[in-house]
Amino acid sequence: PVSRFKSAPTVFTYDEGRKTYAPSNYNDKYTGDFIDMRQAIASSDNIYAVNTIMAVGPEKVIAMARRLGIDSPMQPLPSLALGTFPISPFEMASAFGTFANAGVHVEPTAILRIEDSKGEVLYQAKP
C-alpha cells in the first residue's frame, strides 16, 4: 500500500521485451507525480494498477486467484490488472468469501433448497 508509482503515460514492456502495452487513464488524466495505493484507488489510476501487477508478477496474481477459487481462464498479461479477463459474479463472491472465511476457501452454494407449493423439499444442498 505504500509503494509509489508515477501517474503518467507509460509504456510497459513484457514477454522478455518482445511486446509492449500502453494503458491510459480515463480522459487521459494523470497527476504527473508519484502516488500511493490510496491515491490510485481514489482516482482509478490504471498506470498504478499495471505497475503493481508488473512488480508482483502476473503469474503470482493468477496463482493467488486460483487459491481464492477463481477458475476462469486468465493469461499473465499486464492488462490483467485492469480486468481484461472476465470473472463471473459467482466466482468473485467465492473469492471474497475466502477473505471473509479467514483465508479458507469453501466452494459456494448458490441454491440452498427448493420447495414445492406444499413446502415439501425437492432439493437440498449438502454443506
Side-chain angles (χ1 to χ4, degrees):
V2 296
S3 295
R4 297 171 59 82
F5 296 109
K6 189 167 186 174
S7 174
T10 307
V11 176
F12 296 91
T13 303
Y14 66 104
D15 194 20
E16 299 177 4
R18 292 184 291 245
K19 296 181 182 175
T20 59
Y21 176 59
S24 62
N25 287 342
Y26 181 72
N27 281 339
D28 289 322
K29 290 188 178 182
Y30 306 91
T31 66
D33 201 0
F34 287 86
I35 60 174
D36 61 22
M37 185 182 288
R38 180 182 56 81
Q39 293 165 305
I41 290 172
S43 62
S44 297
D45 194 286
N46 291 334
I47 305 304
Y48 189 95
V50 176
N51 266 308
T52 301
I53 200 169
M54 296 301 284
V56 171
E59 296 85 1
K60 289 182 181 179
V61 171
I62 292 172
M64 177 57 72
R66 299 292 181 234
R67 289 177 48 203
L68 294 172
I70 295 175
D71 295 321
S72 290
M74 292 180 277
Q75 294 178 15
L77 302 173
S79 61
L80 178 64
L82 304 179
T84 56
F85 295 96
I87 307 296
S88 74
F90 190 74
E91 278 188 303
M92 288 302 292
S94 172
F96 280 111
T98 304
F99 290 115
N101 198 30
V104 178
H105 179 73
V106 177
E107 283 300 316
T109 303
I111 299 174
L112 299 177
R113 181 176 61 234
I114 299 173
E115 297 178 4
D116 65 13
S117 61
K118 298 174 188 164
E120 294 181 32
V121 176
L122 303 174
Y123 166 83
Q124 181 146 359
K126 294 179 173 64

